[in-house]
Amino acid sequence: MTDNTVAASLEQNQPPIANVQRLSLFVFALFFIFGGITSLNDILIPKLKSLFSLSYAEAMLVQSAFFLAYALASIPASLLISRIGYMRAAAIGLVTMAVGCALFIPAALVGLFGAFLIALFVLAIGVTVVQVVSNPLISLLGPQQTSHSRVTFAQAFNSLGTTVAPYLGAMLILGSLSQVDPATLSGSALATYLAEEAKVISNTYAGLAVALIVVALLVWQQRKHLPSSLTSGNANPLSALSLLKQPRFAFGAACIFCYVGAEVSIGSLLTNFLMQDSTFGFNAEVAGKHVAYYWGGAMIGRFIGAGLLRAFAPGKVLACAAVVAIALIASAATNHGAVAGWSILAIGLFNSVMFPTIFALACEGLGKRAAEGSGLICCAIVGGAIVPPLTGLAADLSTLGLSLAVPAVCYAVIASYGWYARRSALA
Protein backbone atom coordinates (compact mmCIF):
# COMPACT_ATOMS: atom_id res chain seq x y z
CA MET A 1 0.00 0.00 0.00
CA THR A 2 1.45 3.35 -1.06
CA ASP A 3 1.82 6.52 0.97
CA ASN A 4 -0.54 8.26 -1.48
CA THR A 5 -3.23 5.73 -0.70
CA VAL A 6 -2.78 6.35 3.01
CA ALA A 7 -2.92 10.10 2.49
CA ALA A 8 -6.10 9.84 0.43
CA SER A 9 -7.68 7.64 3.06
CA LEU A 10 -6.83 10.09 5.83
CA GLU A 11 -7.90 13.17 3.89
CA GLN A 12 -11.27 11.57 3.09
CA ASN A 13 -11.71 10.52 6.75
CA GLN A 14 -12.00 6.87 5.76
CA PRO A 15 -11.69 4.10 8.42
CA PRO A 16 -8.09 3.23 9.41
CA ILE A 17 -6.17 0.95 7.05
CA ALA A 18 -3.10 -1.22 7.66
CA ASN A 19 -0.48 1.52 7.86
CA VAL A 20 -2.71 3.76 9.93
CA GLN A 21 -3.40 0.96 12.41
CA ARG A 22 0.31 0.25 12.79
CA LEU A 23 1.13 3.93 13.24
CA SER A 24 -1.64 4.24 15.83
CA LEU A 25 0.03 1.53 17.90
CA PHE A 26 3.31 3.43 17.78
CA VAL A 27 1.58 6.65 18.82
CA PHE A 28 -0.05 4.85 21.76
CA ALA A 29 3.44 3.67 22.76
CA LEU A 30 4.73 7.27 22.59
CA PHE A 31 1.92 8.42 24.88
CA PHE A 32 2.86 5.66 27.35
CA ILE A 33 6.55 6.59 27.29
CA PHE A 34 6.35 10.33 27.80
CA GLY A 35 3.63 9.86 30.43
CA GLY A 36 5.78 7.50 32.47
CA ILE A 37 8.89 9.67 32.22
CA THR A 38 6.97 12.78 33.29
CA SER A 39 5.30 11.14 36.30
CA LEU A 40 8.67 9.96 37.62
CA ASN A 41 9.20 13.59 38.67
CA ASP A 42 6.63 13.01 41.43
CA ILE A 43 8.95 10.35 42.86
CA LEU A 44 12.14 12.30 42.18
CA ILE A 45 10.92 15.38 44.09
CA PRO A 46 10.70 13.81 47.57
CA LYS A 47 13.98 12.01 46.93
CA LEU A 48 15.89 15.18 46.01
CA LYS A 49 14.07 17.16 48.70
CA SER A 50 15.44 14.77 51.29
CA LEU A 51 18.94 14.44 49.82
CA PHE A 52 19.55 18.18 49.45
CA SER A 53 17.40 19.37 52.41
CA LEU A 54 15.18 21.51 50.16
CA SER A 55 12.08 23.54 50.99
CA TYR A 56 8.88 22.74 49.09
CA ALA A 57 9.39 25.75 46.83
CA GLU A 58 12.98 24.66 46.07
CA ALA A 59 11.96 21.05 45.45
CA MET A 60 9.36 22.25 42.94
CA LEU A 61 12.21 23.58 40.80
CA VAL A 62 12.36 20.00 39.51
CA GLN A 63 9.07 20.67 37.75
CA SER A 64 10.19 24.16 36.70
CA ALA A 65 13.31 22.78 34.99
CA PHE A 66 11.27 20.07 33.32
CA PHE A 67 8.30 22.09 32.11
CA LEU A 68 10.31 25.14 31.10
CA ALA A 69 11.38 23.04 28.13
CA TYR A 70 7.83 23.13 26.80
CA ALA A 71 7.92 26.93 26.51
CA LEU A 72 11.26 26.88 24.69
CA ALA A 73 11.03 23.75 22.54
CA SER A 74 7.38 23.38 21.52
CA ILE A 75 7.31 25.74 18.54
CA PRO A 76 10.72 24.52 17.27
CA ALA A 77 9.32 21.00 17.59
CA SER A 78 6.33 21.88 15.40
CA LEU A 79 8.71 23.36 12.81
CA LEU A 80 10.77 20.17 12.95
CA ILE A 81 7.65 18.16 12.18
CA SER A 82 6.88 20.43 9.22
CA ARG A 83 10.36 19.87 7.79
CA ILE A 84 11.00 16.17 8.40
CA GLY A 85 7.61 14.63 9.27
CA TYR A 86 6.00 13.20 12.38
CA MET A 87 7.82 9.88 12.73
CA ARG A 88 11.32 11.23 12.10
CA ALA A 89 10.67 13.99 14.64
CA ALA A 90 9.43 11.41 17.14
CA ALA A 91 12.66 9.41 16.75
CA ILE A 92 14.74 12.55 17.33
CA GLY A 93 12.68 13.34 20.41
CA LEU A 94 13.25 9.86 21.83
CA VAL A 95 17.01 10.10 21.29
CA THR A 96 17.03 13.49 23.06
CA MET A 97 15.15 11.92 25.95
CA ALA A 98 17.79 9.20 26.13
CA VAL A 99 20.56 11.84 26.27
CA GLY A 100 18.75 13.59 29.13
CA CYS A 101 18.46 10.31 31.05
CA ALA A 102 22.16 9.61 30.48
CA LEU A 103 23.02 13.03 31.95
CA PHE A 104 21.78 11.79 35.32
CA ILE A 105 25.02 9.79 35.55
CA PRO A 106 27.38 12.82 35.68
CA ALA A 107 24.79 14.66 37.81
CA ALA A 108 25.04 11.89 40.40
CA LEU A 109 28.84 11.96 40.25
CA VAL A 110 29.08 15.71 40.98
CA GLY A 111 26.28 15.50 43.55
CA LEU A 112 24.76 18.91 42.78
CA PHE A 113 21.04 19.68 42.68
CA GLY A 114 21.60 22.02 39.74
CA ALA A 115 23.17 19.21 37.70
CA PHE A 116 20.01 17.14 38.12
CA LEU A 117 17.95 20.12 36.95
CA ILE A 118 20.07 20.38 33.77
CA ALA A 119 19.56 16.68 33.06
CA LEU A 120 15.81 17.07 33.57
CA PHE A 121 15.71 20.04 31.21
CA VAL A 122 17.40 18.10 28.39
CA LEU A 123 15.14 15.11 29.04
CA ALA A 124 12.11 17.39 28.88
CA ILE A 125 13.16 18.83 25.51
CA GLY A 126 12.88 15.32 24.11
CA VAL A 127 9.56 14.75 25.87
CA THR A 128 8.29 18.01 24.37
CA VAL A 129 9.14 16.92 20.84
CA VAL A 130 7.46 13.55 21.33
CA GLN A 131 4.35 15.16 22.80
CA VAL A 132 4.09 17.76 20.03
CA VAL A 133 4.20 14.85 17.58
CA SER A 134 1.73 12.62 19.38
CA ASN A 135 -1.27 14.88 20.01
CA PRO A 136 -1.96 16.07 16.45
CA LEU A 137 -0.89 12.77 14.90
CA ILE A 138 -3.50 10.73 16.75
CA SER A 139 -6.07 13.37 15.74
CA LEU A 140 -5.12 12.92 12.08
CA LEU A 141 -5.26 9.10 12.17
CA GLY A 142 -9.02 8.94 11.80
CA PRO A 143 -12.20 10.98 11.25
CA GLN A 144 -12.25 14.55 12.59
CA GLN A 145 -15.69 13.95 14.10
CA THR A 146 -14.31 11.41 16.60
CA SER A 147 -11.02 13.17 17.34
CA HIS A 148 -12.09 14.07 20.92
CA SER A 149 -12.73 10.42 21.73
CA ARG A 150 -9.61 9.20 19.91
CA VAL A 151 -7.28 11.67 21.66
CA THR A 152 -8.82 10.74 25.01
CA PHE A 153 -8.32 7.05 24.28
CA ALA A 154 -4.67 7.68 23.37
CA GLN A 155 -4.25 9.69 26.56
CA ALA A 156 -5.35 6.59 28.46
CA PHE A 157 -2.07 4.98 27.39
CA ASN A 158 -0.31 8.10 28.66
CA SER A 159 -2.05 7.49 31.99
CA LEU A 160 -1.02 3.84 31.94
CA GLY A 161 2.57 5.07 31.83
CA THR A 162 1.96 7.57 34.62
CA THR A 163 0.40 4.79 36.72
CA VAL A 164 3.13 2.19 36.29
CA ALA A 165 6.14 4.52 36.54
CA PRO A 166 5.49 5.99 40.03
CA TYR A 167 4.93 2.53 41.53
CA LEU A 168 8.14 1.12 40.08
CA GLY A 169 9.97 4.39 40.76
CA ALA A 170 8.94 4.33 44.41
CA MET A 171 10.48 0.89 44.82
CA LEU A 172 13.68 1.78 42.96
CA ILE A 173 14.20 5.35 44.17
CA LEU A 174 12.35 5.98 47.45
CA GLY A 175 12.93 2.77 49.41
CA SER A 176 15.94 4.00 51.38
CA LEU A 177 14.20 7.19 52.51
CA SER A 178 12.25 5.04 54.90
CA GLN A 179 15.48 3.71 56.44
CA VAL A 180 17.84 6.67 56.79
CA ASP A 181 17.32 10.30 57.76
CA PRO A 182 20.19 12.33 56.24
CA ALA A 183 19.71 14.94 58.97
CA THR A 184 21.18 12.42 61.44
CA LEU A 185 24.39 12.01 59.38
CA SER A 186 27.45 14.21 59.05
CA GLY A 187 30.91 14.25 57.54
CA SER A 188 32.02 11.25 55.54
CA ALA A 189 28.92 9.26 56.48
CA LEU A 190 26.68 11.92 54.95
CA ALA A 191 28.86 12.18 51.84
CA THR A 192 28.79 8.41 51.36
CA TYR A 193 25.01 8.32 51.84
CA LEU A 194 24.42 11.11 49.33
CA ALA A 195 26.68 9.44 46.76
CA GLU A 196 24.92 6.10 47.12
CA GLU A 197 21.44 7.62 46.89
CA ALA A 198 22.40 9.72 43.87
CA LYS A 199 23.67 6.55 42.22
CA VAL A 200 20.26 4.93 42.79
CA ILE A 201 18.71 7.74 40.75
CA SER A 202 21.33 7.63 37.98
CA ASN A 203 21.06 3.84 37.60
CA THR A 204 17.29 4.11 37.15
CA TYR A 205 17.58 6.76 34.45
CA ALA A 206 20.49 5.00 32.73
CA GLY A 207 18.23 1.98 32.25
CA LEU A 208 15.59 4.26 30.77
CA ALA A 209 18.15 5.70 28.35
CA VAL A 210 18.87 2.25 26.90
CA ALA A 211 15.17 1.49 26.49
CA LEU A 212 14.53 4.83 24.77
CA ILE A 213 17.27 4.22 22.20
CA VAL A 214 15.67 0.89 21.30
CA VAL A 215 12.24 2.52 20.86
CA ALA A 216 13.78 5.34 18.80
CA LEU A 217 15.21 2.80 16.35
CA LEU A 218 11.81 1.12 16.01
CA VAL A 219 10.05 4.42 15.39
CA TRP A 220 12.69 5.45 12.83
CA GLN A 221 11.87 2.33 10.82
CA GLN A 222 8.28 3.62 10.47
CA ARG A 223 9.32 7.01 9.07
CA LYS A 224 8.13 6.30 5.50
CA HIS A 225 4.68 5.02 6.46
CA LEU A 226 3.15 8.46 6.97
CA PRO A 227 2.83 10.97 4.09
CA SER A 228 4.48 14.36 4.48
CA SER A 229 1.30 15.97 3.10
CA LEU A 230 -0.22 15.74 6.57
CA THR A 231 2.02 18.56 7.81
CA SER A 232 1.63 22.21 6.95
CA GLY A 233 5.15 22.74 5.60
CA ASN A 234 5.22 26.20 7.16
CA ALA A 235 8.72 27.22 8.25
CA ASN A 236 7.81 30.54 9.86
CA PRO A 237 7.86 30.11 13.65
CA LEU A 238 5.81 33.27 14.17
CA SER A 239 2.96 32.11 11.95
CA ALA A 240 1.63 29.85 14.70
CA LEU A 241 1.04 32.90 16.88
CA SER A 242 -1.74 33.99 14.53
CA LEU A 243 -3.80 31.13 15.95
CA LEU A 244 -4.03 33.10 19.20
CA LYS A 245 -6.35 35.51 17.40
CA GLN A 246 -8.97 32.77 17.59
CA PRO A 247 -10.62 33.14 21.05
CA ARG A 248 -11.49 29.46 21.35
CA PHE A 249 -7.89 28.43 20.66
CA ALA A 250 -6.34 31.12 22.90
CA PHE A 251 -8.64 30.29 25.84
CA GLY A 252 -7.86 26.61 25.33
CA ALA A 253 -4.12 27.27 25.45
CA ALA A 254 -4.59 29.19 28.71
CA CYS A 255 -6.50 26.23 30.11
CA ILE A 256 -3.69 23.85 29.18
CA PHE A 257 -1.42 26.15 31.24
CA CYS A 258 -3.82 25.91 34.18
CA TYR A 259 -4.49 22.19 33.84
CA VAL A 260 -0.87 21.08 33.69
CA GLY A 261 0.01 23.45 36.52
CA ALA A 262 -2.76 22.03 38.72
CA GLU A 263 -2.14 18.37 37.86
CA VAL A 264 1.62 18.63 38.36
CA SER A 265 1.28 20.62 41.61
CA ILE A 266 -0.97 18.00 43.16
CA GLY A 267 1.12 15.07 41.90
CA SER A 268 4.31 16.69 43.19
CA LEU A 269 2.92 17.13 46.70
CA LEU A 270 1.14 13.79 46.93
CA THR A 271 3.94 11.78 48.53
CA ASN A 272 4.54 14.35 51.26
CA PHE A 273 0.78 14.92 51.71
CA LEU A 274 0.18 11.20 52.30
CA MET A 275 3.14 11.00 54.70
CA GLN A 276 1.49 13.49 57.06
CA ASP A 277 0.11 12.09 60.31
CA SER A 278 -3.09 14.01 59.57
CA THR A 279 -3.73 11.83 56.51
CA PHE A 280 -2.30 8.31 56.16
CA GLY A 281 1.05 8.75 57.92
CA PHE A 282 2.79 6.50 55.39
CA ASN A 283 6.54 6.15 55.00
CA ALA A 284 8.07 7.54 51.79
CA GLU A 285 8.02 4.34 49.75
CA VAL A 286 4.41 3.43 50.57
CA ALA A 287 3.27 7.01 49.99
CA GLY A 288 5.11 7.05 46.67
CA LYS A 289 3.40 3.85 45.59
CA HIS A 290 0.03 5.45 46.34
CA VAL A 291 0.81 8.13 43.74
CA ALA A 292 -0.04 5.36 41.27
CA TYR A 293 -3.68 5.62 42.40
CA TYR A 294 -3.74 9.28 41.37
CA TRP A 295 -2.42 8.52 37.89
CA GLY A 296 -4.32 5.23 37.73
CA GLY A 297 -7.54 7.15 38.26
CA ALA A 298 -6.63 9.27 35.24
CA MET A 299 -6.06 6.10 33.21
CA ILE A 300 -9.43 4.59 34.13
CA GLY A 301 -11.15 7.93 33.63
CA ARG A 302 -9.75 8.27 30.12
CA PHE A 303 -11.13 4.93 29.02
CA ILE A 304 -14.50 5.92 30.51
CA GLY A 305 -14.18 9.42 29.10
CA ALA A 306 -13.57 8.11 25.57
CA GLY A 307 -17.12 6.71 25.73
CA LEU A 308 -18.71 9.68 27.52
CA LEU A 309 -17.33 12.09 24.95
CA ARG A 310 -19.23 10.24 22.24
CA ALA A 311 -22.50 10.65 24.16
CA PHE A 312 -22.20 14.14 25.67
CA ALA A 313 -20.88 17.52 24.58
CA PRO A 314 -17.12 17.60 25.34
CA GLY A 315 -17.30 21.10 26.84
CA LYS A 316 -19.98 20.05 29.32
CA VAL A 317 -18.00 16.94 30.32
CA LEU A 318 -14.93 19.14 30.86
CA ALA A 319 -16.83 21.66 33.01
CA CYS A 320 -18.33 18.94 35.21
CA ALA A 321 -14.95 17.25 35.73
CA ALA A 322 -13.34 20.53 36.78
CA VAL A 323 -16.12 21.34 39.26
CA VAL A 324 -15.76 17.89 40.88
CA ALA A 325 -11.98 18.38 41.11
CA ILE A 326 -12.55 21.62 43.03
CA ALA A 327 -14.92 19.81 45.41
CA LEU A 328 -12.33 17.08 46.03
CA ILE A 329 -9.64 19.68 46.75
CA ALA A 330 -11.95 21.26 49.32
CA SER A 331 -12.49 17.85 50.90
CA ALA A 332 -8.75 17.07 51.03
CA ALA A 333 -7.96 20.47 52.56
CA THR A 334 -10.65 20.43 55.24
CA ASN A 335 -10.80 16.77 56.29
CA HIS A 336 -8.36 14.39 57.99
CA GLY A 337 -7.31 10.77 57.72
CA ALA A 338 -8.54 8.52 54.93
CA VAL A 339 -11.14 11.05 53.72
CA ALA A 340 -8.46 13.65 53.02
CA GLY A 341 -6.07 11.10 51.53
CA TRP A 342 -8.53 9.46 49.16
CA SER A 343 -10.07 12.81 48.22
CA ILE A 344 -6.78 14.11 46.85
CA LEU A 345 -6.03 10.79 45.11
CA ALA A 346 -9.49 10.79 43.48
CA ILE A 347 -8.72 14.06 41.70
CA GLY A 348 -6.77 12.00 39.17
CA LEU A 349 -10.00 10.34 38.00
CA PHE A 350 -11.48 13.70 37.05
CA ASN A 351 -8.23 15.03 35.61
CA SER A 352 -8.53 12.24 33.08
CA VAL A 353 -10.56 13.97 30.37
CA MET A 354 -9.15 17.46 30.82
CA PHE A 355 -6.00 17.60 28.72
CA PRO A 356 -7.30 15.67 25.70
CA THR A 357 -10.64 17.47 25.76
CA ILE A 358 -9.09 20.93 26.08
CA PHE A 359 -6.63 20.08 23.31
CA ALA A 360 -9.32 18.78 20.95
CA LEU A 361 -11.70 21.67 21.68
CA ALA A 362 -8.98 24.24 21.06
CA CYS A 363 -7.76 22.59 17.85
CA GLU A 364 -11.15 21.93 16.23
CA GLY A 365 -11.03 22.95 12.59
CA LEU A 366 -7.27 23.64 12.39
CA GLY A 367 -6.74 20.96 9.72
CA LYS A 368 -3.16 20.97 8.40
CA ARG A 369 -2.27 23.65 10.95
CA ALA A 370 -2.70 21.00 13.67
CA ALA A 371 1.07 20.69 14.12
CA GLU A 372 1.37 24.47 14.61
CA GLY A 373 -1.53 24.41 17.06
CA SER A 374 -0.02 21.50 18.95
CA GLY A 375 3.31 23.30 19.21
CA LEU A 376 1.68 26.45 20.54
CA ILE A 377 -0.53 24.55 22.98
CA CYS A 378 2.47 22.57 24.20
CA CYS A 379 4.14 25.90 24.98
CA ALA A 380 1.30 26.40 27.45
CA ILE A 381 2.42 23.25 29.27
CA VAL A 382 4.96 25.63 30.85
CA GLY A 383 2.23 25.98 33.48
CA GLY A 384 3.90 22.95 35.01
CA ALA A 385 6.98 25.11 35.57
CA ILE A 386 5.16 28.06 37.13
CA VAL A 387 2.17 26.84 39.13
CA PRO A 388 4.00 24.15 41.19
CA PRO A 389 6.58 26.57 42.69
CA LEU A 390 3.71 28.90 43.60
CA THR A 391 1.95 25.97 45.24
CA GLY A 392 5.18 24.98 47.01
CA LEU A 393 5.64 28.54 48.27
CA ALA A 394 2.07 28.49 49.56
CA ALA A 395 2.86 25.22 51.37
CA ASP A 396 5.99 26.74 52.94
CA LEU A 397 3.99 29.76 54.12
CA SER A 398 0.95 27.79 55.34
CA THR A 399 0.19 24.06 55.08
CA LEU A 400 0.04 21.47 52.33
CA GLY A 401 -3.75 21.44 52.62
CA LEU A 402 -4.14 25.20 52.23
CA SER A 403 -1.66 25.28 49.35
CA LEU A 404 -4.19 23.29 47.30
CA ALA A 405 -6.09 26.55 46.81
CA VAL A 406 -3.64 27.35 44.01
CA PRO A 407 -4.62 24.39 41.80
CA ALA A 408 -8.28 24.98 42.75
CA VAL A 409 -8.14 28.36 41.02
CA CYS A 410 -6.74 26.63 37.92
CA TYR A 411 -9.65 24.19 37.85
CA ALA A 412 -12.09 27.12 38.09
CA VAL A 413 -10.62 28.55 34.87
CA ILE A 414 -10.99 25.16 33.18
CA ALA A 415 -14.64 24.87 34.24
CA SER A 416 -15.27 28.24 32.64
CA TYR A 417 -13.71 27.12 29.37
CA GLY A 418 -15.78 23.94 29.32
CA TRP A 419 -18.96 26.01 29.47
CA TYR A 420 -17.62 28.52 26.91
CA ALA A 421 -16.74 25.75 24.41
CA ARG A 422 -19.81 23.58 25.00
CA ARG A 423 -20.87 24.00 21.35
CA SER A 424 -18.76 22.49 18.57
CA ALA A 425 -16.67 24.84 16.44
CA LEU A 426 -17.45 22.59 13.46
CA ALA A 427 -21.20 23.18 13.68
Side-chain angles (χ1 to χ4, degrees):
M1 187 167 293
T2 66
D3 285 345
N4 288 334
T5 304
V6 177
S9 175
L10 290 172
E11 289 170 1
Q12 296 171 13
N13 289 330
Q14 296 297 313
I17 52 181
N19 282 355
V20 176
Q21 292 175 337
R22 180 166 58 252
L23 290 171
S24 295
L25 292 176
F26 274 97
V27 177
F28 293 152
L30 294 179
F31 273 98
F32 176 87
I33 290 166
F34 74 73
I37 293 286
T38 302
S39 67
L40 271 182
N41 290 351
D42 296 341
I43 302 302
L44 195 60
I45 285 172
K47 183 74 168 186
L48 295 178
K49 183 178 185 297
S50 174
L51 291 182
F52 295 101
S53 301
L54 306 173
S55 67
Y56 283 111
E58 290 170 336
M60 289 296 193
L61 291 176
V62 165
Q63 302 292 21
S64 294
F66 191 90
F67 287 96
L68 179 62
Y70 283 91
L72 301 178
S74 292
I75 291 179
S78 67
L79 297 177
L80 182 67
I81 294 169
S82 296
R83 286 185 174 276
I84 67 174
Y86 284 101
M87 301 308 286
R88 289 179 175 85
I92 290 174
L94 289 165
V95 171
T96 305
M97 290 170 64
V99 172
C101 287
L103 287 176
F104 276 78
I105 298 173
L109 292 175
V110 299
L112 295 175
F113 180 55
F116 284 101
L117 297 183
I118 292 172
L120 281 164
F121 178 74
V122 175
L123 170 59
I125 289 176
V127 171
T128 301
V129 174
V130 172
Q131 189 159 353
V132 173
V133 167
S134 301
N135 285 305
L137 182 53
I138 198 62
S139 294
L140 292 170
L141 293 176
Q144 177 67 35
Q145 292 84 349
T146 57
S147 62
H148 305 90
S149 176
R150 195 164 54 256
V151 173
T152 299
F153 184 77
Q155 287 281 347
F157 288 89
N158 176 271
S159 293
L160 179 61
T162 61
T163 301
V164 172
Y167 190 88
L168 296 177
M171 291 190 294
L172 294 172
I173 296 174
L174 290 182
S176 60
L177 289 185
S178 308
Q179 303 167 12
V180 179
D181 180 2
T184 63
L185 304 176
S186 62
S188 60
L190 177 60
T192 300
Y193 171 78
L194 293 177
E196 290 177 351
E197 293 306 303
K199 187 175 181 180
V200 168
I201 298 173
S202 66
N203 287 345
T204 300
Y205 280 86
L208 288 173
V210 174
L212 287 167
I213 290 295
V214 173
V215 176
L217 292 173
L218 293 174
V219 170
W220 182 257
Q221 292 176 345
Q222 305 299 314
R223 65 191 182 279
K224 295 182 180 179
H225 292 155
L226 191 73
S228 59
S229 60
L230 290 179
T231 59
S232 64
N234 195 329
N236 181 3
L238 298 180
S239 66
L241 297 177
S242 66
L243 293 174
L244 293 175
K245 296 178 181 178
Q246 302 180 27
R248 186 185 182 98
F249 180 85
F251 197 175
C255 284
I256 291 292
F257 178 97
C258 291
Y259 166 71
V260 176
E263 179 190 51
V264 170
S265 294
I266 293 171
S268 300
L269 293 176
L270 265 179
T271 299
N272 291 105
F273 189 87
L274 299 179
M275 289 172 66
Q276 295 180 119
D277 291 334
S278 59
T279 53
F280 289 135
F282 290 146
N283 62 42
E285 181 178 355
V286 174
K289 288 179 178 179
H290 273 68
V291 174
Y293 287 107
Y294 176 72
W295 296 108
M299 176 183 65
I300 294 170
R302 280 171 176 162
F303 284 114
I304 297 171
L308 289 176
L309 289 167
R310 291 177 179 268
F312 301 98
K316 293 179 181 179
V317 173
L318 176 64
C320 289
V323 169
V324 174
I326 294 171
L328 289 170
I329 284 177
S331 175
T334 58
N335 287 293
H336 300 282
V339 174
W342 288 112
S343 291
I344 195 169
L345 290 171
I347 294 171
L349 179 64
F350 296 92
N351 279 343
S352 58
V353 298
M354 292 188 191
F355 185 96
T357 305
I358 295 168
F359 178 89
L361 287 172
C363 291
E364 276 184 351
L366 294 186
K368 288 187 177 181
R369 299 194 71 185
E372 292 178 73
S374 178
L376 204 53
I377 282 182
C378 283
C379 285
I381 293 177
V382 73
I386 296 172
V387 178
L390 294 176
T391 307
L393 181 61
D396 290 330
L397 296 175
S398 57
T399 65
L400 285 178
L402 292 177
S403 71
L404 295 176
V406 178
V409 172
C410 295
Y411 286 122
V413 175
I414 294 168
S416 299
Y417 181 65
W419 185 251
Y420 170 82
R422 64 190 182 277
R423 294 184 178 87
S424 174
L426 301 174

